Amino acid sequence: MAMTSLQFEELGNKVEAQHSLTGLLAVEVAEAVNRFMARQSGLPVAMAGQAVKPEDLGTTHQVLHLVDRVTPGWTIMLRGHAFEPDGHWTCSLRPSDVEDDAEMIGFAQGPELSKTLIVALLRVLAFLTRKAK
């Protein structure tokens, strides 16, 4: 079943509130992204391309690759300081073809870069789902 924009927002808020993205929450995020990609392609989840696995959400490199797959050609803006274990990251995602002063569609802040990217991506999926209606 397709997720609503509100469900994507709630999932993003849930991820943002957790210290790390592991276990059932990682499974929930992977399934949500897979359902979104399947809906975009018009194919069943099993046929929609390379599925996202919970373990794909563990590193910044993997998450950047995921963001690129889900929002190809979008601009990823990262700012922050990597003070381990409690960094201060800001991430925003937006289509590359919009004005520089346009609203950021996916925005998140957090201590862990990969998790901040995921929250921003979930907010983009909420926006795109709302826009598709």
Side-chain angles (χ1 to χ4, degrees):
M1 174 179 12
M3 289 181 66
T4 66
S5 62
L6 181 59
Q7 288 171 315
F8 279 115
E9 284 284 347
E10 289 172 348
L11 183 56
N13 292 340
K14 191 174 171 182
V15 171
E16 193 170 46
Q18 296 299 312
H19 179 66
S20 62
L21 182 58
T22 58
L24 293 177
L25 186 55
V27 171
E28 189 176 352
V29 169
E31 288 175 357
V33 173
N34 286 330
R35 286 194 301 264
F36 178 85
M37 290 192 307
R39 187 178 70 221
Q40 293 296 100
S41 69
L43 298 170
V45 173
M47 298 174 62
Q50 185 179 3
V52 176
K53 299 176 198 91
E55 56 269 18
D56 295 340
L57 307 174
T59 69
T60 301
H61 176 76
Q62 291 170 312
V63 174
L64 280 168
H65 181 68
L66 172 64
V67 169
D68 185 52
R69 278 183 36 215
V70 177
T71 56
W74 280 47
T75 298
I76 302 169
M77 295 178 64
L78 300 171
R79 291 196 174 110
H81 302 284
F83 298 121
E84 292 297 332
D86 194 20
H88 300 282
W89 294 101
T90 301
C91 174
S92 58
L93 305 172
R94 67 181 182 159
S96 294
D97 59 354
V98 298
E99 301 277 330
D100 282 343
D101 60 350
E103 177 184 357
M104 300 299 167
I105 294 172
F107 181 81
Q109 294 178 297
E112 184 180 305
L113 183 54
S114 62
K115 195 174 72 141
T116 304
L117 280 160
I118 290 167
V119 173
L121 178 62
L122 290 169
R123 291 185 175 144
V124 166
L125 299 185
F127 170 81
L128 294 174
T129 300
R130 198 169 31 254
K131 186 178 166 185
K133 286 188 173 186

